[in-house]
Amino acid sequence: MTMEREIKFRGKRADNGEWVYGYYAKLSATEGYILTRNMDWFNTTKVDMSTIGQYTGLKDRNGKEIYEGDIIVADRYPFFDDGKPNYVAVVEWNDCGFGAFYELHKDSDAKGISVGCPCDFDSDTANRYRAIGNIHDNPEMLK
């Protein structure tokens, strides 16, 4: 049995920094566009290529779509200990698919032993996480 997922991307508009969602087209090494369907034609929007992220096909526990570059947290070890946040995870693509890799939370006193380690991130576990931002809009959430 194969899992089918919706293939779509997001990126920040080059002209005003707003997020746009749709298909991705890379026209050169320095130009990328998000295409959105509007009735019988496509609208093209130039985006900052450093902000492009693919949809994982997964949603967090609040039903929010999770994209590459999102920052997620959970209410379980090692994310929280005694109610204080220790880690966040950044959703990234790797050779095996999408993964969530630990980073220290900005307010953490933890020593970072798990930094860079992957956490479970698939259709069975994604609903345990909550997306709290992304690396483009909220870099301060990371160390």
Side-chain angles (χ1 to χ4, degrees):
M1 184 170 121
T2 61
M3 182 180 101
E4 291 188 31
R5 67 178 174 88
E6 184 178 8
I7 304 296
K8 65 181 175 179
F9 295 82
R10 72 175 179 195
K12 291 187 115 183
R13 292 175 60 123
D15 59 355
N16 64 15
E18 291 180 5
W19 287 104
V20 61
Y21 300 79
Y23 303 103
Y24 173 55
K26 182 177 178 181
L27 301 184
S28 72
T30 59
E31 284 192 10
Y33 294 84
I34 296 291
L35 310 172
T36 53
R37 189 169 193 106
N38 187 356
M39 302 295 277
D40 294 328
W41 66 90
F42 284 95
N43 292 328
T44 59
T45 306
K46 188 174 183 178
V47 293
D48 176 348
M49 289 183 55
S50 70
T51 65
I52 302 231
Q54 187 173 1
Y55 175 46
T56 64
L58 304 172
K59 295 182 180 180
D60 75 358
R61 67 179 179 218
N62 296 321
K64 182 178 180 183
E65 293 178 343
I66 300 173
Y67 285 81
E68 184 177 12
D70 277 348
I71 300 169
I72 58 176
V73 296
D75 293 328
R76 61 188 179 100
Y77 177 85
F79 291 92
F80 289 88
D81 184 20
D82 296 330
K84 182 175 181 181
N86 284 323
Y87 289 94
V88 296
V90 178
V91 177
E92 298 177 6
W93 176 262
N94 64 35
D95 292 338
C96 299
F98 287 104
F101 296 85
Y102 294 133
E103 294 286 341
L104 280 174
H105 187 275
K106 67 181 180 71
D107 297 326
S108 177
D109 293 329
K111 300 299 181 205
I113 194 167
S114 296
V115 168
C117 294
C119 58
D120 295 335
F121 190 70
D122 57 27
S123 59
D124 293 329
T125 59
N127 63 2
R128 297 179 188 165
Y129 296 96
R130 180 172 49 93
I132 60 169
N134 63 69
I135 60 173
H136 309 290
D137 292 335
N138 314 101
E140 73 280 357
M141 289 182 177
L142 305 176
K143 54 185 173 172

